[in-house]
Amino acid sequence: MSSKEIRTRFAPSPTGYMHIGNLRTALYTYLIAKHEGGKFILRIEDTDQERLVEGSVDIIYNTLKETGLIHDEGPDIGGPVGPYVQSERKGMYLDYAKQLVENGEAYYCFCSKERLDILKANSEALKRPFKYDKHCKNLPKEEIQQKLAQGAPYVIRQNNPITGFTTFNDVIYGNISVDNSELDDMILIKSDGFPTYNFANVVDDHLMGITHVVRGNEYLSSAPKYNRLYEAFGWEVPIYVHCPPIMKDVHNKLSKRNGDASFQDLVEKGYIKEAVLNFISLLGWNPEGENEIFTLEELVKIFDYTTITKSPAIFDPVKLRWMNGEYIKRMPLEKFHEMALPYYQGVITNSNIDLLKITELLQTRVEVLGEIPEVIDFFNSLPEYDIAIYTHKKMKTNNENSLVSLKKALPILESLTDWNMDTLHNSMMALAKDMEVKNGIVLWPLRTALSGKQFTPGGAFEIGDIIGKDESISRIKIGIDKLEKALA
Ligand code: GLU
């Protein structure tokens, strides 16, 4: 490992699903490494066994694979600084903690649960955050040795100073100083001998040669304690990149608890993976210029982590829809057809319908794949509809003139020997001309009769062409019938 190599890591805890914020962290982490030709590492942080959710490691692997955030080292592919799962590194941490005890940066703590509960209750009563009172820090050496020799249960705590300040630098948030009196002597090694998440995280980042630590800003308040650990070991502090929160709106964070979508949920709703990734890249970072559509390769080239913003990013679902629509428009027709096909299943059962023609119509008109069934169901069979939809203010249509148009159109359409977009177009334009009316007076009622819907992908000609002559004639007759009844 050359000392100049950029090494970043995505270090998720397998707690269930891939939150949008986690995926953004993964993306930024990947981009920082790849922009510099460095290594992107996956480390699974499973020290907190109680929070583990079965299957979540697979979700992590799958999401990274599906989004193209391919790691260079990780549990599944190995690498020079493995293992890459914290539970498999369990044995490594105790010696590091003991090293800190030796140089006075940490100490054994034998306090009973009862004593700690009293301390906690006291701070609660005083409405202060809990802080361990360093009781065991002052135990005589002999007493410590004796307790250890007796096998008394212990934890190892960080020994933070109580005066002065600790300052650390974050690329996004700048220099942050905290009063040392606020720093809790956090536990590094638990009574079962295993490390806490906070300790393992620092030791692993060092041992894995991580140069840039990218994570959500909820870790900002822990960073001073991490910094003290690096300094206590005499290790180089990595570059910290804490990312701004992603908000649902001005007041609420985007979160599973708020019922917000995960990456998997969005994909299931019919969002394109590449579009979601592109959208996420802009939650907290703005590229130069107007363009907002980027492939992952392009992002690798232009991403500059020093310009990530501090201010919270708002997850705008309307923008995501728009972006998804752009991805759909820009993909080759065949690819979109393949993606759309599953959404036709069970909706279009009439085998005379040319599905590719529907795809052609939809490509510029649909924003989210999941909406396809409700948009196309009328092709298969005419839905029940209310004749109120024949009336359109702008088109100046109403029941009377709709009926006239349909009655005139019917024999002309019946007599067409060639049934296609051109013959439909030419014959109906000629009809409007003959009737000396605007095209809409003919086309609005016709499209309405053919679809039974107020809004459709495509107009009368496209719909007529797709459903075919017989079905079109029969639907126009139904329309005439409905209008006549209403006017009777
Ligand atoms: N395991 C932590 C999480 O999933 C990541 C913390 C970090 O990246 O340092 O939130």
Side-chain angles (χ1 to χ4, degrees):
M1 209 186 307
S2 99
S3 62
K4 281 208 188 96
E5 184 182 60
I6 300 296
R7 291 173 61 82
T8 64
R9 88 303 192 265
F10 176 46
S13 304
T15 52
Y17 82 149
M18 186 65 95
H19 181 260
I20 291 299
N22 279 356
L23 186 56
R24 184 195 56 182
T25 299
L27 173 62
Y28 286 2
T29 307
Y30 173 87
L31 293 176
I32 290 175
K34 294 297 142 183
H35 184 75
E36 300 288 340
K39 294 274 190 310
F40 172 60
I41 294 149
L42 174 64
R43 179 173 78 224
I44 302 294
E45 300 207 321
D46 59 350
T47 48
D48 192 352
Q49 296 280 328
E50 279 166 26
R51 287 177 64 216
L52 297 192
V53 176
E54 218 185 304
S56 28
V57 176
D58 288 335
I59 294 179
I60 293 167
Y61 285 139
N62 289 342
T63 309
L64 292 182
K65 201 167 148 205
E66 286 174 13
T67 50
L69 304 180
I70 306 301
H71 48 281
D72 301 296
E73 298 168 25
D76 50 343
I77 49 173
V81 291
Y84 292 86
V85 179
Q86 276 180 337
S87 57
E88 292 170 22
R89 302 168 68 82
K90 278 193 277 198
M92 304 167 64
Y93 305 100
L94 186 58
D95 284 346
Y96 283 98
K98 285 185 176 163
Q99 196 180 314
L100 292 185
V101 172
E102 260 154 49
N103 60 25
E105 298 284 355
Y107 57 90
Y108 292 99
C109 170
F110 302 93
C111 283
S112 64
K113 186 177 174 305
E114 289 70 29
R115 180 168 191 280
L116 294 173
D117 284 347
I118 294 172
L119 289 183
K120 279 180 194 155
N122 280 348
S123 20
E124 246 169 61
L126 293 167
K127 297 204 161 63
R128 288 209 197 119
F130 169 71
K131 234 185 115 216
Y132 179 65
D133 64 355
K134 287 186 184 280
H135 174 78
C136 291
K137 156 89 182 40
N138 304 317
L139 291 181
K141 248 199 165 128
E142 304 70 49
E143 192 178 333
I144 298 172
Q145 290 312 329
Q146 198 185 6
K147 283 189 192 294
L148 290 177
Q150 284 165 352
Y154 66 85
V155 300
I156 297 181
R157 289 184 183 273
Q158 185 179 22
N159 181 22
N160 285 315
I162 43 176
T163 56
F165 289 91
T166 296
T167 302
F168 72 98
N169 180 266
D170 179 85
V171 176
I172 314 305
Y173 289 85
N175 275 336
I176 299 186
S177 284
V178 295
D179 206 317
N180 287 336
S181 65
E182 287 172 24
L183 302 179
D184 178 40
D185 283 354
M186 66 177 177
I187 296 176
L188 308 179
I189 299 289
K190 298 184 272 192
S191 56
D192 58 7
F194 296 131
T196 55
Y197 156 73
N198 288 319
F199 189 54
N201 182 275
V202 169
V203 172
D204 286 347
D205 280 345
H206 171 73
L207 294 180
M208 292 184 173
I210 303 303
T211 55
H212 296 61
V213 166
V214 187
R215 59 182 162 223
N217 81 339
E218 64 271 24
Y219 289 97
L220 210 48
S221 60
S222 305
K225 289 190 273 193
Y226 298 159
N227 240 36
R228 296 211 69 87
L229 284 175
Y230 283 106
E231 279 161 14
F233 280 117
W235 292 341
E236 195 182 335
V237 178
I239 293 172
Y240 289 123
V241 184
H242 287 92
C243 305
I246 303 177
M247 310 292 288
K248 182 190 174 98
D249 51 47
V250 192
H251 301 294
N252 299 295
K253 260 187 140 184
L254 198 70
S255 79
K256 194 181 178 188
R257 224 179 299 144
N258 285 338
D260 296 314
S262 66
F263 174 73
Q264 294 93 309
D265 293 335
L266 291 176
V267 171
E268 271 164 35
K269 281 188 191 156
Y271 286 91
I272 315 278
K273 289 162 200 152
E274 291 83 357
V276 176
L277 201 66
N278 188 162
F279 173 76
I280 285 178
S281 75
L282 305 177
L283 293 175
W285 172 74
N286 301 310
E288 277 174 30
E290 297 285 294
N291 181 28
E292 294 195 296
I293 308 283
F294 302 106
T295 62
L296 185 57
E297 292 72 42
E298 287 166 338
L299 286 174
V300 166
K301 282 200 196 105
I302 62 171
F303 187 72
D304 175 1
Y305 71 92
T306 62
T307 61
I308 293 173
T309 57
K310 260 203 283 256
S311 46
I314 303 259
F315 184 100
D316 177 0
V318 177
K319 182 168 176 181
L320 173 59
R321 286 182 63 92
W322 165 79
M323 192 169 273
N324 206 60
E326 288 301 304
Y327 270 79
I328 291 178
K329 275 182 214 153
R330 292 169 191 217
M331 60 175 74
L333 179 69
E334 303 71 46
K335 185 169 174 210
F336 175 56
H337 188 52
E338 215 174 281
M339 294 186 99
L341 275 177
Y343 296 90
Y344 299 160
Q345 245 172 38
V347 183
I348 306 290
T349 51
N350 179 343
S351 56
N352 293 326
I353 291 180
D354 182 347
L355 296 177
L356 193 60
K357 283 186 178 173
I358 296 188
T359 299
E360 276 169 347
L361 266 192
L362 290 182
Q363 190 166 16
T364 51
R365 292 172 172 90
V366 98
E367 287 185 323
V368 184
L369 298 173
E371 291 166 5
I372 290 179
E374 59 188 271
V375 170
I376 59 157
D377 54 359
F378 73 90
F379 285 115
N380 200 57
S381 61
L382 184 68
E384 280 294 326
Y385 68 94
D386 189 323
I387 55 151
I389 61 173
Y390 280 102
T391 301
H392 192 284
K393 222 170 163 194
K394 242 190 173 160
M395 296 284 174
K396 298 198 166 56
T397 58
N398 53 39
N399 288 352
E400 286 82 4
N401 61 13
S402 292
L403 180 60
V404 173
S405 294
L406 289 184
K407 277 182 144 171
K408 293 212 182 228
L410 182 63
I412 299 174
L413 294 174
E414 277 177 321
S415 71
L416 283 183
T417 44
D418 262 353
W419 185 270
N420 57 47
M421 292 264 288
D422 286 341
T423 56
L424 285 167
H425 173 268
N426 295 342
S427 61
M428 290 299 103
M429 291 311 210
L431 173 62
K433 207 169 171 206
D434 274 1
M435 288 170 67
E436 294 181 350
V437 294
K438 286 211 164 132
N439 296 339
I441 299 280
V442 173
L443 300 186
W444 181 269
L446 186 60
R447 193 191 55 84
T448 304
L450 292 179
S451 66
K453 285 206 165 182
Q454 199 166 12
F455 306 104
T456 52
F461 311 137
E462 283 104 340
I463 298 170
D465 178 45
I466 289 174
I467 63 178
K469 183 173 177 181
D470 291 349
E471 181 65 16
S472 296
I473 300 295
S474 130
R475 291 187 186 189
I476 292 168
K477 285 181 178 163
I478 292 172
I480 291 174
D481 205 42
K482 271 175 165 293
L483 287 164
E484 275 177 343
K485 276 198 188 119
L487 290 167

